[in-house]
Amino acid sequence: QIHGESGMELFVERLYDMIISDSRIQGFFVGKNISQIREGLKLYFTELLGGPKIYKGRDLVDIHMALNLTDYHFDCFLSDTEKALAGLGIPDDTIDEVVVSFEPVRSSLLNRTRGLGASAAMRNGRALVERLGGEMNVEAIVETMYSGCLDDPRVRYFFEQAREKMARTKRLMVAAMVGAFGGASTYDERNMRPKHYNM
């Protein structure tokens, strides 16, 4: 969808040019081997986006261990990714797919433990679910998010269901989010990937 190997090369070239011009994150690339980084990105992105498994480079955790990256830095990278793809005329829905595919890489770049509860950091002795106001507020978040999905033509198809099934989906989403946010874990995260296989 991004026009094969030639499209990937153009994307990586455009993305890297944007990154080294982005004052928010350019400092991480000063003095680095540009051609080596570009080639590594091209191979890694090709594999990540469903292409052949051709990346033979170092593990992402090892590469980024000493950089002290934060969510802000990764969000800047995603923003540059969106702009690079848009500049190449890639459709919005494809750009969304790419960004979603890149999101799971966040935990490796930020050297976090993986899993649903990985980002539920405690602050001042309180988990994220508490800081949000408890499970009732998570339910309100899910309700608002679900309504937004039903109004979004890009994803509506996946959320339009019979009333009973819709209610069950919302309950599962609440359970998953409560567990992810540091609350009582009642959702088995191993079920999440199989649930989405046929989408």
Side-chain angles (χ1 to χ4, degrees), residues 166-186:
M166 200 180 300
R168 181 174 183 275
T169 299
K170 290 178 184 178
R171 288 196 299 270
L172 291 174
M173 291 173 72
V174 170
M177 290 174 69
V178 167
F181 296 162
S185 181
T186 60

PDB file of all heavy atoms in Angstrom, residues 166-186:
ATOM      1  N   MET A 166     -22.791  -5.407  21.329  1.00  0.00           N
ATOM      2  CA  MET A 166     -22.141  -4.120  21.562  1.00  0.00           C
ATOM      3  C   MET A 166     -21.907  -3.900  23.054  1.00  0.00           C
ATOM      4  O   MET A 166     -20.831  -3.447  23.475  1.00  0.00           O
ATOM      5  CB  MET A 166     -23.007  -3.001  20.989  1.00  0.00           C
ATOM      6  CG  MET A 166     -22.268  -1.696  20.738  1.00  0.00           C
ATOM      7  SD  MET A 166     -23.344  -0.404  20.052  1.00  0.00           S
ATOM      8  CE  MET A 166     -23.869  -1.186  18.526  1.00  0.00           C
ATOM      9  N   ALA A 167     -22.904  -4.233  23.864  1.00  0.00           N
ATOM     10  CA  ALA A 167     -22.786  -4.074  25.311  1.00  0.00           C
ATOM     11  C   ALA A 167     -21.671  -4.972  25.856  1.00  0.00           C
ATOM     12  O   ALA A 167     -20.889  -4.559  26.722  1.00  0.00           O
ATOM     13  CB  ALA A 167     -24.112  -4.399  25.985  1.00  0.00           C
ATOM     14  N   ARG A 168     -21.587  -6.196  25.323  1.00  0.00           N
ATOM     15  CA  ARG A 168     -20.549  -7.131  25.777  1.00  0.00           C
ATOM     16  C   ARG A 168     -19.163  -6.618  25.367  1.00  0.00           C
ATOM     17  O   ARG A 168     -18.213  -6.681  26.157  1.00  0.00           O
ATOM     18  CB  ARG A 168     -20.791  -8.516  25.183  1.00  0.00           C
ATOM     19  CG  ARG A 168     -19.769  -9.555  25.635  1.00  0.00           C
ATOM     20  CD  ARG A 168     -20.132 -10.963  25.143  1.00  0.00           C
ATOM     21  NE  ARG A 168     -19.200 -11.933  25.649  1.00  0.00           N
ATOM     22  CZ  ARG A 168     -18.033 -12.225  25.061  1.00  0.00           C
ATOM     23  NH1 ARG A 168     -17.698 -11.600  23.942  1.00  0.00           N
ATOM     24  NH2 ARG A 168     -17.226 -13.130  25.584  1.00  0.00           N
ATOM     25  N   THR A 169     -19.054  -6.095  24.152  1.00  0.00           N
ATOM     26  CA  THR A 169     -17.775  -5.553  23.691  1.00  0.00           C
ATOM     27  C   THR A 169     -17.321  -4.422  24.587  1.00  0.00           C
ATOM     28  O   THR A 169     -16.151  -4.329  24.971  1.00  0.00           O
ATOM     29  CB  THR A 169     -17.890  -5.051  22.239  1.00  0.00           C
ATOM     30  OG1 THR A 169     -18.240  -6.144  21.381  1.00  0.00           O
ATOM     31  CG2 THR A 169     -16.579  -4.446  21.760  1.00  0.00           C
ATOM     32  N   LYS A 170     -18.253  -3.552  24.965  1.00  0.00           N
ATOM     33  CA  LYS A 170     -17.911  -2.430  25.851  1.00  0.00           C
ATOM     34  C   LYS A 170     -17.444  -2.934  27.212  1.00  0.00           C
ATOM     35  O   LYS A 170     -16.492  -2.396  27.794  1.00  0.00           O
ATOM     36  CB  LYS A 170     -19.107  -1.506  26.017  1.00  0.00           C
ATOM     37  CG  LYS A 170     -19.473  -0.716  24.769  1.00  0.00           C
ATOM     38  CD  LYS A 170     -20.714   0.132  25.021  1.00  0.00           C
ATOM     39  CE  LYS A 170     -21.163   0.868  23.776  1.00  0.00           C
ATOM     40  NZ  LYS A 170     -22.395   1.660  23.997  1.00  0.00           N
ATOM     41  N   ARG A 171     -18.109  -3.967  27.729  1.00  0.00           N
ATOM     42  CA  ARG A 171     -17.692  -4.516  29.030  1.00  0.00           C
ATOM     43  C   ARG A 171     -16.272  -5.073  28.954  1.00  0.00           C
ATOM     44  O   ARG A 171     -15.472  -4.882  29.883  1.00  0.00           O
ATOM     45  CB  ARG A 171     -18.680  -5.607  29.476  1.00  0.00           C
ATOM     46  CG  ARG A 171     -20.041  -5.092  29.919  1.00  0.00           C
ATOM     47  CD  ARG A 171     -20.812  -6.149  30.696  1.00  0.00           C
ATOM     48  NE  ARG A 171     -21.062  -7.337  29.900  1.00  0.00           N
ATOM     49  CZ  ARG A 171     -22.130  -7.521  29.133  1.00  0.00           C
ATOM     50  NH1 ARG A 171     -23.049  -6.562  29.041  1.00  0.00           N
ATOM     51  NH2 ARG A 171     -22.293  -8.634  28.449  1.00  0.00           N
ATOM     52  N   LEU A 172     -15.968  -5.751  27.854  1.00  0.00           N
ATOM     53  CA  LEU A 172     -14.625  -6.313  27.687  1.00  0.00           C
ATOM     54  C   LEU A 172     -13.587  -5.200  27.558  1.00  0.00           C
ATOM     55  O   LEU A 172     -12.479  -5.307  28.096  1.00  0.00           O
ATOM     56  CB  LEU A 172     -14.583  -7.224  26.462  1.00  0.00           C
ATOM     57  CG  LEU A 172     -15.360  -8.539  26.573  1.00  0.00           C
ATOM     58  CD1 LEU A 172     -15.362  -9.275  25.238  1.00  0.00           C
ATOM     59  CD2 LEU A 172     -14.745  -9.432  27.655  1.00  0.00           C
ATOM     60  N   MET A 173     -13.957  -4.136  26.847  1.00  0.00           N
ATOM     61  CA  MET A 173     -13.039  -3.009  26.701  1.00  0.00           C
ATOM     62  C   MET A 173     -12.762  -2.357  28.055  1.00  0.00           C
ATOM     63  O   MET A 173     -11.613  -2.009  28.364  1.00  0.00           O
ATOM     64  CB  MET A 173     -13.621  -1.983  25.722  1.00  0.00           C
ATOM     65  CG  MET A 173     -13.661  -2.458  24.278  1.00  0.00           C
ATOM     66  SD  MET A 173     -14.539  -1.320  23.168  1.00  0.00           S
ATOM     67  CE  MET A 173     -13.356   0.029  23.085  1.00  0.00           C
ATOM     68  N   VAL A 174     -13.792  -2.212  28.860  1.00  0.00           N
ATOM     69  CA  VAL A 174     -13.612  -1.641  30.198  1.00  0.00           C
ATOM     70  C   VAL A 174     -12.701  -2.530  31.032  1.00  0.00           C
ATOM     71  O   VAL A 174     -11.768  -2.050  31.689  1.00  0.00           O
ATOM     72  CB  VAL A 174     -14.973  -1.456  30.903  1.00  0.00           C
ATOM     73  CG1 VAL A 174     -14.767  -1.104  32.376  1.00  0.00           C
ATOM     74  CG2 VAL A 174     -15.796  -0.370  30.215  1.00  0.00           C
ATOM     75  N   ALA A 175     -12.943  -3.834  30.997  1.00  0.00           N
ATOM     76  CA  ALA A 175     -12.126  -4.763  31.776  1.00  0.00           C
ATOM     77  C   ALA A 175     -10.670  -4.710  31.340  1.00  0.00           C
ATOM     78  O   ALA A 175      -9.753  -4.692  32.181  1.00  0.00           O
ATOM     79  CB  ALA A 175     -12.672  -6.187  31.624  1.00  0.00           C
ATOM     80  N   ALA A 176     -10.442  -4.658  30.025  1.00  0.00           N
ATOM     81  CA  ALA A 176      -9.068  -4.603  29.511  1.00  0.00           C
ATOM     82  C   ALA A 176      -8.386  -3.305  29.925  1.00  0.00           C
ATOM     83  O   ALA A 176      -7.222  -3.300  30.348  1.00  0.00           O
ATOM     84  CB  ALA A 176      -9.074  -4.741  27.992  1.00  0.00           C
ATOM     85  N   MET A 177      -9.119  -2.192  29.829  1.00  0.00           N
ATOM     86  CA  MET A 177      -8.524  -0.896  30.151  1.00  0.00           C
ATOM     87  C   MET A 177      -8.272  -0.747  31.646  1.00  0.00           C
ATOM     88  O   MET A 177      -7.234  -0.206  32.059  1.00  0.00           O
ATOM     89  CB  MET A 177      -9.429   0.225  29.642  1.00  0.00           C
ATOM     90  CG  MET A 177      -9.446   0.330  28.124  1.00  0.00           C
ATOM     91  SD  MET A 177     -10.633   1.542  27.478  1.00  0.00           S
ATOM     92  CE  MET A 177      -9.865   3.071  28.018  1.00  0.00           C
ATOM     93  N   VAL A 178      -9.188  -1.236  32.477  1.00  0.00           N
ATOM     94  CA  VAL A 178      -8.982  -1.166  33.926  1.00  0.00           C
ATOM     95  C   VAL A 178      -7.707  -1.926  34.306  1.00  0.00           C
ATOM     96  O   VAL A 178      -6.876  -1.438  35.084  1.00  0.00           O
ATOM     97  CB  VAL A 178     -10.196  -1.728  34.687  1.00  0.00           C
ATOM     98  CG1 VAL A 178      -9.857  -1.939  36.162  1.00  0.00           C
ATOM     99  CG2 VAL A 178     -11.390  -0.777  34.561  1.00  0.00           C
ATOM    100  N   GLY A 179      -7.543  -3.125  33.731  1.00  0.00           N
ATOM    101  CA  GLY A 179      -6.331  -3.896  33.998  1.00  0.00           C
ATOM    102  C   GLY A 179      -5.090  -3.199  33.474  1.00  0.00           C
ATOM    103  O   GLY A 179      -4.045  -3.163  34.130  1.00  0.00           O
ATOM    104  N   ALA A 180      -5.201  -2.606  32.270  1.00  0.00           N
ATOM    105  CA  ALA A 180      -4.055  -1.917  31.679  1.00  0.00           C
ATOM    106  C   ALA A 180      -3.663  -0.684  32.468  1.00  0.00           C
ATOM    107  O   ALA A 180      -2.498  -0.288  32.485  1.00  0.00           O
ATOM    108  CB  ALA A 180      -4.383  -1.523  30.238  1.00  0.00           C
ATOM    109  N   PHE A 181      -4.650  -0.081  33.137  1.00  0.00           N
ATOM    110  CA  PHE A 181      -4.408   1.148  33.882  1.00  0.00           C
ATOM    111  C   PHE A 181      -4.057   0.898  35.347  1.00  0.00           C
ATOM    112  O   PHE A 181      -4.051   1.813  36.157  1.00  0.00           O
ATOM    113  CB  PHE A 181      -5.620   2.069  33.795  1.00  0.00           C
ATOM    114  CG  PHE A 181      -5.935   2.553  32.415  1.00  0.00           C
ATOM    115  CD1 PHE A 181      -7.188   3.076  32.114  1.00  0.00           C
ATOM    116  CD2 PHE A 181      -4.991   2.483  31.402  1.00  0.00           C
ATOM    117  CE1 PHE A 181      -7.486   3.516  30.831  1.00  0.00           C
ATOM    118  CE2 PHE A 181      -5.275   2.925  30.110  1.00  0.00           C
ATOM    119  CZ  PHE A 181      -6.519   3.450  29.833  1.00  0.00           C
ATOM    120  N   GLY A 182      -3.779  -0.368  35.684  1.00  0.00           N
ATOM    121  CA  GLY A 182      -3.305  -0.670  37.033  1.00  0.00           C
ATOM    122  C   GLY A 182      -4.356  -1.119  38.014  1.00  0.00           C
ATOM    123  O   GLY A 182      -4.080  -1.296  39.190  1.00  0.00           O
ATOM    124  N   GLY A 183      -5.590  -1.336  37.523  1.00  0.00           N
ATOM    125  CA  GLY A 183      -6.653  -1.821  38.395  1.00  0.00           C
ATOM    126  C   GLY A 183      -6.701  -3.332  38.439  1.00  0.00           C
ATOM    127  O   GLY A 183      -5.779  -4.014  37.976  1.00  0.00           O
ATOM    128  N   ALA A 184      -7.798  -3.871  38.982  1.00  0.00           N
ATOM    129  CA  ALA A 184      -7.961  -5.321  39.063  1.00  0.00           C
ATOM    130  C   ALA A 184      -7.983  -5.910  37.659  1.00  0.00           C
ATOM    131  O   ALA A 184      -8.721  -5.448  36.784  1.00  0.00           O
ATOM    132  CB  ALA A 184      -9.258  -5.658  39.799  1.00  0.00           C
ATOM    133  N   SER A 185      -7.161  -6.907  37.415  1.00  0.00           N
ATOM    134  CA  SER A 185      -7.050  -7.508  36.094  1.00  0.00           C
ATOM    135  C   SER A 185      -8.022  -8.673  35.964  1.00  0.00           C
ATOM    136  O   SER A 185      -7.829  -9.733  36.548  1.00  0.00           O
ATOM    137  CB  SER A 185      -5.615  -7.987  35.847  1.00  0.00           C
ATOM    138  OG  SER A 185      -5.494  -8.554  34.567  1.00  0.00           O
ATOM    139  N   THR A 186      -9.094  -8.468  35.198  1.00  0.00           N
ATOM    140  CA  THR A 186     -10.095  -9.529  34.978  1.00  0.00           C
ATOM    141  C   THR A 186     -10.157  -9.938  33.517  1.00  0.00           C
ATOM    142  O   THR A 186     -10.960 -10.793  33.147  1.00  0.00           O
ATOM    143  CB  THR A 186     -11.493  -9.048  35.422  1.00  0.00           C
ATOM    144  OG1 THR A 186     -11.853  -7.886  34.667  1.00  0.00           O
ATOM    145  CG2 THR A 186     -11.498  -8.714  36.904  1.00  0.00           C
TER     146      THR A 186
END
